[in-house]
Amino acid sequence: MLRFFLTVCLLPLLLGACSFDEGFEAYCRAQLNPVDIEVLTEIPTHRVDQSLNRAQISDLLTQGGQLVTDNRALAATRASLEHGVFARHDTLGLRGLACARPSVHVKLRLVDPVVYMASEYPEGTCGYDTVYLHETRHVQAYEALLRRTAATAR
């Protein structure tokens, strides 16, 4: 390491080819890992819950801030977004100067995506199939939002 510093940093400095700051930056570039930013996504497969009737699904939506009247809800789709961040940095210091290279890892994840289907419409019926097809669009919207969020973070 000392030999490297003398060759890459001190020799050019003595020859007037660079300032101490420039030599130190070259030393940092050579000794530290580059900046590392990683964004991971986890999108689990949604599950279907058919244990609630139309009135209970309407209540569920009302509790979530959506206005539903007359127990008209046939289905609802829910999921939440969870995130985690791990950050660290490598540093070097010499003669009052310091440099750092961060490493940041972000994980974005959909938590428990659920499609609630009204129990009045058994699986395999025309009503079930039509409503389920509609609800899968909401699932796709959640997944697209997660992917866009990850792309923005990158």
Side-chain angles (χ1 to χ4, degrees), residues 7 22 53 63 107:
T7 305
E22 291 170 330
N53 61 34
Q63 292 167 8
K107 184 174 183 181

Side-chain angles (χ1 to χ4, degrees), residues 33-41 83-90 100-108 150 152-154:
N33 291 323
V35 172
D36 176 33
I37 299 174
E38 180 179 46
V39 180
L40 302 171
T41 59
H83 66 281
V85 178
F86 172 76
R88 67 176 188 79
H89 64 277
D90 296 324
R101 298 297 185 264
S103 175
V104 180
H105 297 262
V106 177
K107 184 174 183 181
L108 303 172
T152 300
R154 288 184 182 107

Side-chain angles (χ1 to χ4, degrees), residues 2-149:
L2 179 60
R3 184 173 172 202
F4 176 82
F5 180 75
L6 292 173
T7 305
V8 172
C9 300
L10 191 56
L11 189 58
L13 181 64
L14 292 174
L15 296 174
C18 65
S19 69
F20 181 77
D21 291 352
E22 291 170 330
F24 182 69
E25 179 56 36
Y27 176 69
C28 287
R29 274 195 306 275
Q31 294 298 310
L32 294 178
N33 291 323
V35 172
D36 176 33
I37 299 174
E38 180 179 46
V39 180
L40 302 171
T41 59
E42 183 180 324
I43 303 174
T45 303
H46 70 276
R47 64 183 176 88
V48 176
D49 182 329
Q50 214 172 353
S51 66
L52 305 176
N53 61 34
R54 291 177 63 183
Q56 292 168 313
I57 291 174
S58 296
D59 289 344
L60 183 70
L61 290 170
T62 303
Q63 292 167 8
Q66 297 173 343
L67 180 60
V68 179
T69 58
D70 300 331
N71 298 327
R72 293 184 185 180
L74 302 177
T77 299
R78 286 198 151 173
S80 58
L81 177 65
E82 180 178 89
H83 66 281
V85 178
F86 172 76
R88 67 176 188 79
H89 64 277
D90 296 324
T91 59
L92 278 177
L94 182 68
R95 290 188 51 204
L97 295 175
C99 58
R101 298 297 185 264
S103 175
V104 180
H105 297 262
V106 177
K107 184 174 183 181
L108 303 172
R109 172 173 106 88
L110 281 180
V111 179
D112 195 26
V114 181
V115 173
Y116 294 95
M117 297 290 295
S119 58
E120 292 90 342
Y121 298 93
E123 185 174 357
T125 63
C126 181
Y128 178 96
D129 294 344
T130 302
V131 173
Y132 180 74
L133 179 63
H134 171 83
E135 290 303 311
T136 59
R137 291 185 189 128
H138 294 289
V139 171
Q140 291 166 356
Y142 278 120
E143 293 171 354
L145 175 63
L146 184 73
R147 288 187 185 96
R148 281 194 312 272
T149 302

